[in-house]
Every structure is written in C-alpha cells, then in structure tokens.
Amino acid sequence: MWEYTEKVQEYYRNPKNVGEIPDSNAVGEVGSLTCGDALKLYLKIDENGIIADAKAQTFGCGSAVAAASALTEMIIGKTVEEAEKITNDHIVDYLGGLPPQKIHCSVMGKEALEAALADYRGEEVQPHKHEKVVCKCYGTTEDKIREIIREHNVKSIEDIINHCKAGGGCGSCHDEIDRIIKEENPDTKAPETPAKKSNSTQLIIKINNAIENHIAEQLRKDNGDIELVNVEDYRVYVKLKGACKNCPSSGITLKNFVETTLKEHIDPNIEVIEV
C-alpha cells in the first residue's frame, strides 16, 4: 500500500492557504477536471517583487491538495526570482516524499507557479500553439516530455506517467513516448515491452480519476467521502470517510455503487475492498 508522510497527511486533512485572492496580480491555472486533477494558484506580489500572499484552489486527490498547500507555504515571502527556482523536486522534499504514482501532483504545482509568474509578467501562456501534442488524453506535448526526461533522468514510460500522467490514459501514445525516451537516452537500452510495465500505473490513474469524478462527488452530497488507498492487480483498496464510515449500508455502497461504477468505467474484473 502507498505510504504517505505525516506532512502529506496533515496538509491533506488541514490544507493551507485555500481559496482565492480577490486582488491578486498573478494567476496560474493548470490541469483539467476531465483528467482528474486541476489547480488554480493566486499570488499577490508587492511592489518589491515579493510574494506577499498565495492561495490555491485544488481539485484532485489528497496528494494534489497536499502539494498545492506545500507550494503556497514555500513561496510566501519569497521574491519572484527565488520562486522561479522552485522545482517539483523541492515540493516533494518539502513534503518528505511522495509515492512514485503521485509525483505528477508536485509537477502540477510547479506548472501552476510557472503559469502564475508568466501572468504576472504579462506573458501569454500558449503551450500547445506551436508544439506537437503527444498524449491527447492529458494534452502533454513532446517538449514537455523531453523536459521531464532530461530533468529527472527518466528511462521508462511508467516514469513519464508518474511525472505528468502522459501515457496513463488510452495508451495509444506509448510508442511515441518510447521513441522520445530512446532519443533522449541513446546509450541506454530501453526496457523490454515498456507498455506492459506501465499498465499498473496506468490502471491506478484511471481508477483514481473515476473515484474523483464519478464516485466521491456523489458521496460528498451525503456528507460522505472515499479515499483510494492502494491497487493490487484488479483489487482496489479504499477507505470510506465521513458519514459513509460508520453507515450500516456501507457494504452495499461499496458493492452496488463503488465497485459497479469502477467495473463500468475501468474493467469488469475489478474488486473493491474496504480497509
């Protein structure tokens, strides 16, 4: 099962600097609710170029909420120049680590910061206008994939999925991503059958997206909630929260709603287990 540091758990349960800044002078928005994660970052930068305040609106898993909270804490009080040097690795380190399958949450934080600082300078962010989109499911460009490979010494499709989700959808871009990895690592023998190696992470991302977009939203209407704990083969371990936790009908909810929804959207072999 995935292990989260105490800081990740704290920032998820009690997120920091949540909301918007009405008089912000820098806003960065990345991700998409269609893809399962979205982040909108608001900054208030004073006349000396210091980030006086930062707030975030996050839609996604607990790691996404924690990463956004960490980012706001890290940049408040820093100059624009200092904030520009923050990478997703810094966010991961600040949280004490993230599971490999959740690294993309920290990348989303870095990209939101880049977008906000571009907005502050009056620069238009049009990442796809002149770039080739490789992963259409997540709108990831070839330039972004090459950047991730170089920055993080990526050698496999699974690592790409972990860092930016590219390749974690339909899988039709795997051959193209594999080609890019080989071009960026000409002296390294690529893993055999890379697409098969990515299936585990790809399945986890699909399950997480289905839970966030189709299941959790319904449970929250009745003051309940659900957390994805782990995925082993097609066994999905979840934790019911809020009003669902002690509900006498929780077993029915798991089988008739959660499991049925995942079987419908992901795979008929899925089995949901409460932990």
Side-chain angles (χ1 to χ4, degrees):
M1 294 184 181
W2 298 337
E3 291 189 8
Y4 295 97
T5 66
E6 290 184 7
K7 202 163 191 178
V8 171
Q9 295 180 56
E10 167 60 22
Y11 275 37
Y12 170 56
R13 296 190 187 105
N14 302 291
K16 317 297 180 184
N17 308 306
V18 176
E20 59 183 295
I21 302 174
D23 60 342
S24 61
N25 52 1
V27 179
E29 189 169 7
V30 296
S32 165
L33 289 178
T34 303
C35 301
D37 293 308
L39 169 60
K40 193 168 187 178
L41 179 67
Y42 299 84
L43 305 180
K44 180 65 176 178
I45 302 173
D46 66 20
E47 63 276 7
N48 297 314
I50 296 174
I51 300 173
D53 196 10
K55 291 189 184 299
Q57 293 177 324
T58 313
F59 305 91
C61 65
S63 296
V65 173
S69 294
L71 175 64
T72 58
E73 294 278 276
M74 293 169 67
I75 61 178
I76 291 176
K78 282 187 167 53
T79 64
V80 168
E81 291 73 20
E82 290 171 332
E84 286 176 328
K85 298 176 182 177
I86 292 176
T87 69
N88 74 290
D89 289 331
H90 292 138
I91 298 173
V92 173
D93 291 342
Y94 187 88
L95 290 169
L98 282 172
Q101 295 87 350
K102 295 296 181 178
I103 293 295
H104 65 267
C105 296
S106 65
V107 175
M108 188 169 68
K110 173 196 171 185
E111 291 178 345
L113 178 59
E114 290 174 345
L117 295 179
D119 180 53
Y120 171 68
R121 299 188 189 92
E123 302 170 357
E124 286 192 33
V125 181
Q126 296 178 314
H128 304 333
K129 189 174 182 181
H130 304 293
E131 297 178 22
K132 176 183 177 182
V133 175
V134 173
C135 178
K136 293 188 170 102
C137 293
Y138 295 103
T140 313
T141 65
E142 180 171 336
D143 285 353
K144 171 54 68 176
I145 291 172
R146 290 186 185 278
E147 176 187 332
I148 288 171
I149 293 170
R150 293 165 187 165
E151 286 186 1
H152 302 282
N153 195 30
V154 166
K155 307 291 186 189
S156 69
I157 291 177
E158 185 170 8
D159 286 340
I160 289 291
I161 295 173
N162 289 340
H163 277 86
C164 67
K165 287 191 175 183
C170 68
S172 63
C173 59
H174 283 190
D175 287 343
E176 185 71 2
I177 294 175
D178 186 43
R179 176 188 65 79
I180 296 170
I181 291 173
K182 288 176 180 177
E183 289 180 359
E184 292 293 330
N185 299 282
D187 299 326
T188 302
K189 184 179 179 182
E192 295 181 5
T193 59
K196 290 183 180 179
K197 283 180 173 288
S198 69
N199 283 346
S200 176
T201 302
Q202 183 180 351
L203 179 64
I204 290 169
I205 290 174
K206 286 183 177 180
I207 291 171
N208 185 66
N209 289 348
I211 288 176
E212 287 297 325
N213 295 329
H214 302 288
I215 297 172
E217 183 179 353
Q218 294 301 317
L219 296 181
R220 288 165 188 157
K221 290 180 180 179
D222 295 320
N223 298 315
D225 208 343
I226 187 170
E227 177 185 348
L228 176 62
V229 177
N230 195 24
V231 177
E232 295 179 355
D233 295 325
Y234 287 95
R235 294 188 299 277
V236 179
Y237 296 87
V238 300
K239 180 186 294 184
L240 291 175
K241 304 170 72 175
C244 294
K245 185 177 181 181
N246 299 313
C247 177
S249 301
S250 62
I252 297 175
T253 299
L254 280 177
K255 291 296 177 183
N256 291 2
F257 176 49
V258 179
E259 187 171 281
T260 299
T261 301
L262 291 179
K263 284 183 174 181
E264 177 184 346
H265 286 86
I266 310 296
D267 192 284
N269 295 312
I270 283 178
E271 177 189 4
V272 175
I273 301 169
E274 185 178 7
V275 298

